[in-house]
Amino acid sequence: MRIRVAGLIEMENGYALMHRINVKKKEGSTQPYGEYYVFPGGGVENNDNSFEEGVKREVLEEFGIEVDVKQKLYSRKINDDYEEHLYYCIYKSGKLGTGSGPEFSGDPKYIDRGEYIPTIVKKDEIRNIRLLPEEFKEKMIIDFKL
């Protein structure tokens, strides 16, 4: 089973999100394409002692910042092979945009995945963007009164 963990990080009167642009549609794929935003995160790895540790590692890799993980917000299970968990995080240190994860390495396997742009989206703009997964976005709008 693949388990994805991600962080909702409040920064500068907004949220740090990964802006994905120019993502190419793969034939027969149900994966998102075009332009959208996602919560920073990725798959739990064998050396992660907890989901929270996985969130910290992924945020550091993707954004170059350190966070404190405060609480689990939402979970969803797509099928027997995939589940996802979103955690509320507090920014601690580092400079947004200095991540060194594989998506920034020039690795050819990422060529059709478009660009990854660490971005802060203001709270009053969340409703106006394509933020995935939509299920988490809808809950966030209600719970955080956005």
Side-chain angles (χ1 to χ4, degrees), residues 72-134:
K72 184 190 285 189
L73 292 174
Y74 315 121
S75 294
R76 68 183 190 142
K77 186 172 183 177
I78 303 300
N79 53 41
D80 289 339
D81 297 323
Y82 182 83
E83 64 184 54
E84 185 170 13
H85 306 278
L86 181 66
Y87 289 81
Y88 180 74
C89 301
I90 303 291
Y91 167 80
K92 278 177 44 177
S93 64
K95 182 178 178 191
L96 185 71
T98 60
S100 58
E103 43 288 274
F104 305 109
S105 68
D107 185 331
K109 81 177 190 178
Y110 286 88
I111 197 152
D112 289 339
R113 296 186 184 182
E115 295 177 54
Y116 293 77
I117 306 167
T119 305
I120 295 175
V121 177
K122 298 297 181 195
K123 291 178 181 181
D124 61 357
E125 287 297 315
I126 294 294
R127 288 179 174 271
N128 303 324
I129 64 171
R130 183 178 173 208
L131 175 57
L132 304 176
E134 289 180 9

Side-chain angles (χ1 to χ4, degrees), residues 37-64:
Y37 295 79
V38 294
F39 301 97
V44 173
E45 295 181 357
N46 291 334
N47 59 342
D48 292 331
N49 293 320
S50 65
F51 289 177
E52 292 86 350
E53 189 175 294
V55 171
K56 289 179 181 183
R57 177 186 47 74
E58 284 289 340
V59 168
L60 183 60
E61 285 178 7
E62 292 186 4
F63 282 180

